[in-house]
Amino acid sequence: MKLPERVTICDVGPRDGFQIDPDWIPTELKVEVIDRLSEAGLPRIEVTSFVHPKVVPQMRDAEAVMARIRRRAGTVYAALVPNDKGAVRAADAGVDELHTVVSASESHNLANVNMTIAESLEKLRAVMQVAARAGVRVGCGISTSFGCPFEGDVPLEQLERIVGALVDMGARAIGLADTTGMANPRQVGRVLERLVPRFSGVEWTLHTHDTRALAIPNILAAMEHGVTHFDASIGGLGGCPFAPGASGNVCTEDLVHGLHAMGVETGIDLDRLIATANRVEAIVGRTLPGQIIKAGKWDRRYPLPDGVAARLRRPGVPDVS
Ligand code: COA
Ligand code: ZN
């Protein structure tokens, strides 16, 4: 297996996860989770979104969240924006990096941001100008890159056209999002084989949802094709309010655990991450999809059953200690 030595993970839980929570999560609890993620050493966190407060009410405290978080040197604080209005709000709030959104399918783009793809691309051009003036970096995400819950297959030519339009307006970082977990590893490989050589110099991120249990296999496929940036959500929170059937992102602590087990570095303190996931579970008040908070890390050991322990001590039985 061809694996990178190190990958960069962005925790999108405070945005992709909290945005769909039906119960209001108080600002101070959102801030607590973001601060814990910072302390765990996350190199990037998508802390909130600057979208219409009536459309996504859970994110209506975006400015307050940004104002209250404790910033750690070494963590980039990003926020999702759909248009220039959001970009101005985010830049004024001190966001380090804007994450823009457009879908690869018309119907999801209309459902999500009430614009055609062409209209979105015009807004994103304005976002780029706001970002350039404010001196903040931009990463451009493309929802439904691997399939749309309304339209099904998304032609690769269509995805390529949108990537091309974003690159033409100056995008240097592109996120391919599998919004409702429709991708499979072969498809991820095929898409990257086509896009990576055509858009050299682009920093690619894979944004996965584990709706059909293929998020980590898809990440493995992407790593084999040279991708080293991944989005993930603490506890496996996540889901798009405007994509039926959407469920959580790949779980950050599960992904970090698996990467560390394979010797791939993340710079993240896994124990602190697990403690944060447990805290998030308490905050949202339901069992989260993450596996490691239930199973423990790979090196967890259980006490031997009595009879087995006695037999192991007998002479002639191989030492297993
Ligand atoms: N933040 C706050 N208000 C915004 C805004 C933003 N980023 N963008 C637009 N608005 C306001 C406008 O100022 C206008 O206000 P007014 O009625 O007081 O004049 C109003 O919203 C309508 O503006 P318009 O451009 O017509 O927006 P819209 O109603 O078509 O909504 C979006 C478009 C993009 C703002 C909205 O669909 C949205 O916020 N979508 C986000 C979806 C999302 O977060 N999905 C999950 C993550 S992928
Ligand atoms: Zn998502």
Side-chain angles (χ1 to χ4, degrees), residues 200-271:
S200 61
V202 165
E203 178 192 287
W204 299 95
T205 293
L206 188 70
H207 175 101
T208 55
H209 283 263
D210 203 28
T211 317
R212 295 179 174 83
L214 284 175
I216 287 186
N218 288 333
I219 289 169
L220 288 170
M223 284 196 292
E224 291 217 284
H225 285 83
V227 173
T228 56
H229 289 73
F230 298 98
D231 288 350
S233 268
I234 187 74
L237 292 170
C240 175
F242 309 103
S247 64
N249 294 92
V250 66
C251 167
T252 311
E253 66 276 12
D254 290 2
L255 177 61
V256 168
H257 172 270
L259 290 167
H260 290 185
M262 295 190 293
V264 179
E265 283 177 37
T266 64
I268 297 169
D269 180 332
L270 180 57
D271 291 321

Coordinates of all heavy atoms in Angstrom, one line a residue, residues 200-271:
S200 N -2.5 20.6 -12.0 CA -1.3 20.4 -11.2 C -1.2 21.6 -10.3 O -1.6 22.7 -10.6 CB -0.1 20.2 -12.1 OG 0.1 21.3 -12.9
G201 N -0.7 21.4 -9.1 CA -0.5 22.5 -8.2 C -1.7 22.6 -7.2 O -1.6 23.4 -6.2
V202 N -2.8 22.0 -7.5 CA -3.9 22.1 -6.6 C -3.7 21.2 -5.4 O -3.2 20.1 -5.5 CB -5.2 21.7 -7.4 CG1 -6.4 21.4 -6.4 CG2 -5.6 22.7 -8.4
E203 N -4.1 21.8 -4.2 CA -4.1 20.9 -3.0 C -5.5 20.3 -2.9 O -6.5 21.1 -2.7 CB -3.8 21.9 -1.8 CG -3.8 21.2 -0.5 CD -3.7 22.2 0.7 OE1 -2.7 22.8 0.9 OE2 -4.8 22.4 1.3
W204 N -5.6 19.0 -2.9 CA -6.9 18.3 -2.9 C -7.2 17.9 -1.5 O -6.4 17.4 -0.8 CB -6.8 17.1 -3.8 CG -6.5 17.4 -5.2 CD1 -5.3 17.4 -5.9 CD2 -7.5 17.9 -6.2 NE1 -5.5 17.8 -7.2 CE2 -6.8 18.1 -7.4 CE3 -8.9 18.1 -6.2 CZ2 -7.4 18.5 -8.6 CZ3 -9.5 18.5 -7.4 CH2 -8.8 18.7 -8.5
T205 N -8.5 18.1 -1.1 CA -9.0 17.6 0.1 C -10.1 16.6 -0.2 O -10.9 16.9 -1.1 CB -9.5 18.7 1.0 OG1 -8.4 19.5 1.4 CG2 -10.2 18.2 2.3
L206 N -10.2 15.5 0.5 CA -11.4 14.6 0.4 C -12.3 14.8 1.6 O -11.8 14.7 2.7 CB -11.0 13.2 0.2 CG -12.1 12.2 -0.1 CD1 -12.6 12.5 -1.5 CD2 -11.7 10.8 0.0
H207 N -13.6 15.1 1.3 CA -14.6 15.3 2.4 C -15.5 14.2 2.3 O -16.3 14.1 1.3 CB -15.2 16.7 2.2 CG -16.3 17.0 3.1 ND1 -16.2 17.9 4.2 CD2 -17.7 16.7 3.1 CE1 -17.4 18.0 4.8 NE2 -18.3 17.3 4.2
T208 N -15.5 13.3 3.3 CA -16.3 12.1 3.2 C -17.5 12.1 4.2 O -17.3 12.6 5.3 CB -15.5 10.8 3.4 OG1 -14.8 11.0 4.7 CG2 -14.4 10.6 2.4
H209 N -18.5 11.4 3.8 CA -19.6 11.0 4.8 C -19.7 9.5 4.8 O -19.5 8.9 3.8 CB -20.9 11.7 4.4 CG -21.0 13.1 4.7 ND1 -21.6 13.6 5.8 CD2 -20.4 14.2 4.1 CE1 -21.4 14.9 5.9 NE2 -20.8 15.3 4.8
D210 N -19.9 9.0 6.0 CA -19.8 7.5 6.1 C -21.2 6.9 6.0 O -21.4 5.8 6.6 CB -19.2 7.2 7.5 CG -18.6 5.8 7.4 OD1 -18.2 5.3 6.4 OD2 -18.5 5.1 8.5
T211 N -22.1 7.5 5.3 CA -23.5 7.0 5.1 C -23.6 5.6 4.7 O -24.5 4.9 5.2 CB -24.2 7.9 4.0 OG1 -23.7 9.3 4.3 CG2 -25.7 7.8 4.1
R212 N -22.6 5.1 3.9 CA -22.7 3.7 3.5 C -21.4 2.9 3.8 O -21.0 2.0 3.1 CB -23.0 3.6 1.9 CG -24.3 4.2 1.6 CD -24.7 4.2 0.2 NE -26.1 4.6 0.0 CZ -26.5 5.9 -0.1 NH1 -25.6 6.9 0.1 NH2 -27.8 6.2 -0.2
A213 N -20.8 3.4 4.9 CA -19.6 2.7 5.5 C -18.4 2.6 4.6 O -17.6 1.7 4.7 CB -20.1 1.3 6.0
L214 N -18.3 3.5 3.7 CA -17.2 3.5 2.7 C -16.2 4.7 2.9 O -15.3 4.9 2.1 CB -17.7 3.4 1.3 CG -18.1 2.0 0.9 CD1 -18.7 2.0 -0.5 CD2 -17.0 1.0 0.9
A215 N -16.4 5.4 4.0 CA -15.6 6.7 4.1 C -14.1 6.3 4.3 O -13.3 6.9 3.5 CB -16.1 7.5 5.3
I216 N -13.8 5.4 5.2 CA -12.3 5.1 5.4 C -11.8 4.4 4.1 O -10.7 4.7 3.7 CB -12.1 4.4 6.7 CG1 -12.2 5.5 7.8 CG2 -10.7 3.8 6.8 CD1 -11.9 5.0 9.2
P217 N -12.5 3.4 3.6 CA -12.0 2.8 2.3 C -11.7 3.9 1.2 O -10.7 3.9 0.5 CB -13.1 1.9 1.9 CG -13.7 1.4 3.1 CD -13.6 2.6 4.0
N218 N -12.6 4.9 1.1 CA -12.4 6.0 0.2 C -11.2 6.8 0.5 O -10.5 7.2 -0.4 CB -13.7 6.9 0.1 CG -14.8 6.2 -0.6 OD1 -14.6 5.3 -1.4 ND2 -16.1 6.5 -0.2
I219 N -11.0 7.0 1.8 CA -9.8 7.8 2.2 C -8.5 7.0 1.8 O -7.5 7.6 1.4 CB -9.9 8.2 3.7 CG1 -11.0 9.2 3.9 CG2 -8.5 8.6 4.2 CD1 -11.3 9.5 5.3
L220 N -8.5 5.7 2.1 CA -7.4 4.9 1.7 C -7.1 5.0 0.2 O -5.9 5.1 -0.2 CB -7.6 3.4 2.1 CG -7.6 3.1 3.6 CD1 -8.1 1.7 3.9 CD2 -6.2 3.3 4.2
A221 N -8.2 4.9 -0.6 CA -8.0 5.1 -2.1 C -7.4 6.4 -2.4 O -6.5 6.5 -3.3 CB -9.3 4.9 -2.8
A222 N -7.9 7.4 -1.7 CA -7.4 8.8 -2.0 C -5.9 8.9 -1.7 O -5.1 9.5 -2.4 CB -8.2 9.9 -1.3
M223 N -5.5 8.3 -0.5 CA -4.1 8.4 -0.1 C -3.2 7.7 -1.1 O -2.1 8.1 -1.4 CB -3.9 7.8 1.3 CG -4.4 8.7 2.4 SD -3.8 8.2 4.0 CE -4.6 6.7 4.3
E224 N -3.7 6.6 -1.7 CA -2.9 5.9 -2.7 C -2.8 6.7 -3.9 O -1.8 6.5 -4.7 CB -3.6 4.5 -3.0 CG -3.5 3.6 -1.9 CD -3.3 2.1 -2.3 OE1 -4.3 1.5 -2.8 OE2 -2.1 1.6 -2.2
H225 N -3.6 7.7 -4.1 CA -3.5 8.6 -5.3 C -2.9 9.9 -4.9 O -3.0 10.9 -5.6 CB -4.9 8.8 -5.9 CG -5.3 7.6 -6.7 ND1 -5.9 6.5 -6.2 CD2 -5.1 7.4 -8.0 CE1 -6.1 5.6 -7.1 NE2 -5.7 6.1 -8.2
G226 N -2.2 10.0 -3.7 CA -1.4 11.1 -3.3 C -2.2 12.2 -2.5 O -1.6 13.2 -2.2
V227 N -3.4 12.0 -2.2 CA -4.2 13.0 -1.4 C -3.7 12.9 0.0 O -3.6 11.8 0.6 CB -5.7 12.8 -1.5 CG1 -6.5 13.8 -0.6 CG2 -6.1 13.1 -3.0
T228 N -3.5 14.1 0.7 CA -3.0 14.1 2.1 C -3.8 15.0 2.9 O -3.5 15.3 4.1 CB -1.5 14.5 2.1 OG1 -1.4 15.8 1.5 CG2 -0.6 13.6 1.4
H229 N -5.0 15.5 2.4 CA -5.8 16.4 3.2 C -7.2 15.8 3.3 O -7.8 15.5 2.3 CB -5.9 17.8 2.6 CG -4.6 18.6 2.8 ND1 -3.5 18.3 2.0 CD2 -4.3 19.6 3.6 CE1 -2.5 19.1 2.4 NE2 -3.0 19.9 3.3
F230 N -7.7 15.7 4.6 CA -9.0 15.0 4.8 C -9.8 15.8 5.8 O -9.3 16.3 6.8 CB -8.8 13.6 5.2 CG -8.1 12.8 4.2 CD1 -6.7 12.5 4.3 CD2 -8.7 12.3 3.1 CE1 -6.0 11.8 3.4 CE2 -8.0 11.6 2.1 CZ -6.7 11.3 2.3
D231 N -11.1 15.9 5.5 CA -12.1 16.4 6.5 C -12.6 15.2 7.3 O -12.8 14.1 6.7 CB -13.2 17.1 5.8 CG -12.8 18.5 5.2 OD1 -11.7 18.9 5.4 OD2 -13.7 19.0 4.4
A232 N -12.9 15.5 8.5 CA -13.5 14.5 9.4 C -14.2 15.2 10.5 O -14.0 16.4 10.7 CB -12.4 13.6 10.0
S233 N -15.2 14.5 11.2 CA -15.9 15.1 12.3 C -15.8 14.4 13.6 O -15.9 13.1 13.6 CB -17.4 15.1 11.9 OG -17.8 16.2 11.3
I234 N -15.5 15.1 14.6 CA -15.4 14.5 15.9 C -16.6 13.7 16.2 O -17.8 14.1 16.0 CB -15.2 15.6 17.0 CG1 -14.9 15.0 18.4 CG2 -16.3 16.6 17.1 CD1 -13.5 14.5 18.5
G235 N -16.4 12.5 16.7 CA -17.5 11.6 17.0 C -18.3 11.0 15.8 O -19.1 10.1 16.0
G236 N -18.0 11.5 14.6 CA -18.7 11.1 13.5 C -20.0 11.9 13.3 O -21.0 11.4 12.6
L237 N -20.1 13.1 13.9 CA -21.2 14.0 13.6 C -21.2 14.4 12.2 O -20.3 14.1 11.4 CB -20.9 15.3 14.4 CG -20.9 15.4 15.9 CD1 -20.4 16.8 16.3 CD2 -22.3 15.2 16.5
G238 N -22.3 15.0 11.7 CA -22.3 15.6 10.4 C -23.5 15.2 9.6 O -24.2 14.2 9.8
G239 N -23.7 16.1 8.5 CA -24.8 15.8 7.6 C -25.4 17.1 7.1 O -25.4 18.1 7.8
C240 N -25.7 17.1 5.8 CA -26.2 18.3 5.1 C -27.7 18.4 5.3 O -28.5 17.4 5.0 CB -25.9 18.2 3.6 SG -26.6 19.6 2.7
P241 N -28.2 19.5 5.8 CA -29.7 19.6 6.0 C -30.5 19.6 4.7 O -31.7 19.4 4.7 CB -29.8 21.0 6.8 CG -28.5 21.6 6.8 CD -27.5 20.7 6.3
F242 N -29.8 19.8 3.6 CA -30.5 19.9 2.3 C -30.1 18.8 1.4 O -30.2 18.9 0.2 CB -30.2 21.3 1.7 CG -30.5 22.4 2.6 CD1 -29.4 23.1 3.3 CD2 -31.8 22.8 3.0 CE1 -29.7 24.1 4.2 CE2 -32.0 23.7 3.9 CZ -31.0 24.4 4.5
A243 N -29.7 17.6 2.0 CA -29.5 16.4 1.2 C -30.1 15.3 1.9 O -29.6 14.8 3.0 CB -28.0 16.2 1.1
P244 N -31.3 14.8 1.4 CA -32.0 13.7 2.1 C -31.1 12.5 2.2 O -30.3 12.1 1.3 CB -33.2 13.4 1.2 CG -33.0 14.2 0.0 CD -32.0 15.2 0.2
G245 N -31.1 11.8 3.4 CA -30.3 10.6 3.6 C -28.9 10.9 4.0 O -28.1 10.0 4.3
A246 N -28.6 12.2 4.2 CA -27.2 12.5 4.6 C -27.0 12.1 6.0 O -27.9 12.1 6.9 CB -26.9 14.0 4.5
S247 N -25.8 11.6 6.3 CA -25.4 11.3 7.7 C -24.0 11.7 8.0 O -23.4 12.4 7.1 CB -25.7 9.8 8.0 OG -24.8 9.0 7.2
G248 N -23.5 11.2 9.1 CA -22.2 11.8 9.6 C -21.0 11.7 8.7 O -20.9 10.8 7.9
N249 N -20.1 12.6 9.0 CA -18.8 12.5 8.3 C -18.0 11.3 8.8 O -18.3 10.8 9.8 CB -17.9 13.8 8.6 CG -18.5 15.0 8.1 OD1 -19.3 15.7 8.7 ND2 -18.2 15.3 6.9
V250 N -16.9 11.0 8.1 CA -16.0 10.0 8.7 C -15.6 10.6 10.1 O -15.4 11.8 10.3 CB -14.7 9.8 7.8 CG1 -13.8 11.1 7.8 CG2 -13.9 8.7 8.3
C251 N -15.5 9.7 11.1 CA -15.3 10.1 12.5 C -13.8 10.4 12.7 O -12.9 9.6 12.4 CB -15.7 8.9 13.3 SG -15.2 9.1 15.0
T252 N -13.5 11.6 13.2 CA -12.1 12.0 13.3 C -11.3 11.1 14.2 O -10.2 10.7 13.7 CB -12.0 13.4 14.0 OG1 -12.9 14.3 13.3 CG2 -10.6 14.0 13.9
E253 N -11.8 10.7 15.3 CA -10.9 9.8 16.2 C -10.7 8.4 15.6 O -9.7 7.8 15.8 CB -11.4 9.8 17.7 CG -12.7 9.1 17.9 CD -13.9 10.1 17.7 OE1 -13.8 11.1 17.2 OE2 -15.0 9.7 18.2
D254 N -11.8 7.9 14.9 CA -11.6 6.6 14.2 C -10.6 6.7 13.1 O -9.7 5.8 13.0 CB -12.9 6.2 13.6 CG -14.0 5.8 14.7 OD1 -13.7 5.9 15.9 OD2 -15.1 5.4 14.3
L255 N -10.6 7.8 12.4 CA -9.7 8.0 11.3 C -8.2 8.2 11.8 O -7.3 7.5 11.4 CB -10.1 9.2 10.4 CG -9.1 9.6 9.3 CD1 -9.0 8.5 8.3 CD2 -9.6 10.9 8.6
V256 N -8.1 9.0 12.8 CA -6.8 9.2 13.4 C -6.2 7.9 14.0 O -5.0 7.6 13.8 CB -6.8 10.4 14.5 CG1 -5.5 10.5 15.3 CG2 -7.1 11.7 13.8
H257 N -7.1 7.2 14.7 CA -6.7 5.9 15.3 C -6.1 5.0 14.2 O -5.1 4.4 14.3 CB -7.9 5.3 16.0 CG -7.6 3.9 16.4 ND1 -7.9 2.8 15.6 CD2 -7.1 3.4 17.6 CE1 -7.6 1.7 16.3 NE2 -7.1 2.0 17.5
G258 N -6.9 4.9 13.1 CA -6.5 4.0 12.0 C -5.2 4.5 11.3 O -4.3 3.7 11.0
L259 N -5.1 5.8 11.2 CA -3.8 6.3 10.5 C -2.6 6.1 11.4 O -1.6 5.6 11.0 CB -4.0 7.8 10.3 CG -5.0 8.2 9.2 CD1 -5.3 9.7 9.2 CD2 -4.5 7.8 7.8
H260 N -2.8 6.3 12.7 CA -1.7 6.1 13.6 C -1.3 4.6 13.7 O -0.1 4.3 13.7 CB -2.0 6.6 15.1 CG -2.0 8.1 15.1 ND1 -2.2 8.8 16.3 CD2 -1.9 9.1 14.2 CE1 -2.2 10.1 16.1 NE2 -2.1 10.3 14.8
A261 N -2.3 3.8 13.7 CA -2.0 2.3 13.7 C -1.2 1.9 12.5 O -0.4 1.0 12.5 CB -3.4 1.5 13.7
M262 N -1.4 2.6 11.3 CA -0.6 2.3 10.1 C 0.7 3.1 10.0 O 1.4 3.0 9.1 CB -1.5 2.6 8.9 CG -2.7 1.8 8.7 SD -3.5 2.0 7.1 CE -4.1 3.7 7.3
G263 N 0.9 3.9 11.1 CA 2.2 4.7 11.1 C 2.1 6.0 10.3 O 3.1 6.6 9.9
V264 N 0.9 6.4 9.9 CA 0.7 7.7 9.2 C 0.5 8.8 10.3 O -0.4 8.7 11.1 CB -0.5 7.7 8.3 CG1 -0.6 9.0 7.6 CG2 -0.3 6.5 7.3
E265 N 1.4 9.8 10.3 CA 1.3 10.8 11.3 C 0.2 11.9 11.0 O -0.1 12.2 9.9 CB 2.6 11.6 11.4 CG 3.7 10.8 12.1 CD 5.0 11.6 12.0 OE1 5.0 12.9 12.1 OE2 6.1 11.0 11.9
T266 N -0.4 12.4 12.1 CA -1.4 13.5 12.0 C -1.0 14.7 12.8 O -1.6 15.7 12.7 CB -2.8 13.0 12.4 OG1 -2.7 12.7 13.8 CG2 -3.2 11.8 11.6
G267 N -0.1 14.5 13.8 CA 0.2 15.6 14.8 C -0.9 15.8 15.8 O -0.9 16.7 16.6
I268 N -1.9 14.8 15.8 CA -3.0 15.0 16.7 C -2.9 14.0 17.9 O -2.4 12.9 17.8 CB -4.3 14.7 16.0 CG1 -4.5 15.7 14.9 CG2 -5.5 14.7 17.0 CD1 -5.6 15.4 13.9
D269 N -3.2 14.5 19.1 CA -3.2 13.7 20.4 C -4.5 12.9 20.4 O -5.5 13.4 20.7 CB -3.0 14.7 21.5 CG -3.0 14.0 22.9 OD1 -3.5 12.8 23.0 OD2 -2.4 14.5 23.8
L270 N -4.3 11.6 20.1 CA -5.5 10.7 20.0 C -6.3 10.7 21.4 O -7.5 10.6 21.4 CB -5.1 9.3 19.5 CG -6.2 8.3 19.4 CD1 -7.3 8.8 18.4 CD2 -5.7 7.0 18.9
D271 N -5.6 10.6 22.5 CA -6.3 10.5 23.8 C -7.1 11.7 24.0 O -8.3 11.6 24.5 CB -5.3 10.2 24.9 CG -4.6 8.9 24.8 OD1 -5.4 7.9 24.4 OD2 -3.4 8.7 25.0

